[in-house]
Amino acid sequence: GKPFTHNGKPFYRLKPDSGQLKGDDPPKYLSPKTGGCRPYFSPLLPANALAAGRDIDITEGEKKADCVNYHGFPTIGLSGVDAWRDRRNCKPDEHSRPLPELQKINWRGRKVCLVFDSDVTSKDSVRRALNDLSAWLTDQGASVLIVLLPCEIDGSKNGIDDFICRHG
């Protein structure tokens, strides 16, 4: 119900139009510098979805989370596969910590389905991020299930939103 803030202002992520940013490898999304990562709790997420013991899914991407919530699966979106952690609350000797917003959730006894894009089977960095998130959730008392989405026959990647659009 309340937006996340950064330096007293609402936190945002925005997707520039194609060609709007110049350079060899412009970012796909923009957010405030030093703003860290934030989980995405869709306005379509049922009001009681974060109550203790309720099953929930986690996927990569805000638009994907909206799609899955719309189709009746309570889902939290991450801005990327490793975006369940950042450096905002780190001690000087730490690389990253789980997001404070995720640490506030009672994961004990909750079934959590992790639904990353189908490239999890071909990209080591995505698989490592999935394993790390799974291990952290398990340590918090969640029962974690990993949902592996298939690639299309032509080899193209599927996200959960792609899969729903293509296959229902």
Side-chain angles (χ1 to χ4, degrees):
K2 294 181 182 178
F4 295 125
T5 60
H6 175 68
N7 293 335
K9 297 178 182 173
F11 177 85
Y12 64 88
R13 271 181 31 101
L14 89 100
K15 184 172 183 166
D17 290 335
S18 179
Q20 188 174 4
L21 299 178
K22 305 301 179 209
D24 292 337
D25 190 22
K28 287 200 285 188
Y29 292 90
L30 300 173
S31 58
K33 189 173 184 170
T34 71
C37 301
R38 299 292 194 282
Y40 177 66
F41 300 107
S42 170
L44 303 174
L45 186 68
N48 64 350
L50 299 178
R54 301 285 307 222
D55 297 346
I56 197 151
D57 299 341
I58 299 176
T59 193
E60 50 175 307
E62 294 90 339
K63 293 182 282 184
K64 294 171 188 174
D66 280 343
C67 175
V68 181
N69 276 293
Y70 176 81
H71 285 89
F73 299 93
T75 303
I76 298 169
L78 302 175
S79 55
V81 295
D82 254 327
W84 62 275
R85 55 189 169 192
D86 69 11
R87 294 183 167 173
R88 279 183 289 151
N89 295 332
C90 282
K91 297 174 184 169
D93 61 332
E94 290 180 314
H95 172 57
S96 65
R97 290 186 121 183
L99 300 179
E101 298 86 359
L102 294 178
Q103 290 181 28
K104 290 179 183 177
I105 297 172
N106 180 358
W107 297 103
R108 188 154 307 286
R110 184 186 302 263
K111 182 174 78 175
V112 180
C113 291
L114 301 179
V115 190
F116 282 16
D117 292 354
S118 61
D119 62 355
V120 70
T121 61
S122 60
K123 288 187 175 178
D124 290 340
S125 60
V126 177
R127 192 168 35 258
R128 266 192 306 275
L130 178 69
N131 290 337
D132 291 350
L133 176 56
S134 177
W136 180 75
L137 288 166
T138 300
D139 288 347
Q140 303 308 302
S143 173
V144 178
L145 301 171
I146 295 173
V147 178
L148 294 176
L149 296 172
C151 292
E152 289 300 304
I153 291 174
D154 67 2
S156 59
K157 178 172 110 169
N158 265 323
I160 188 61
D161 56 339
D162 304 315
F163 187 84
I164 288 172
C165 287
R166 292 173 180 150
H167 305 287

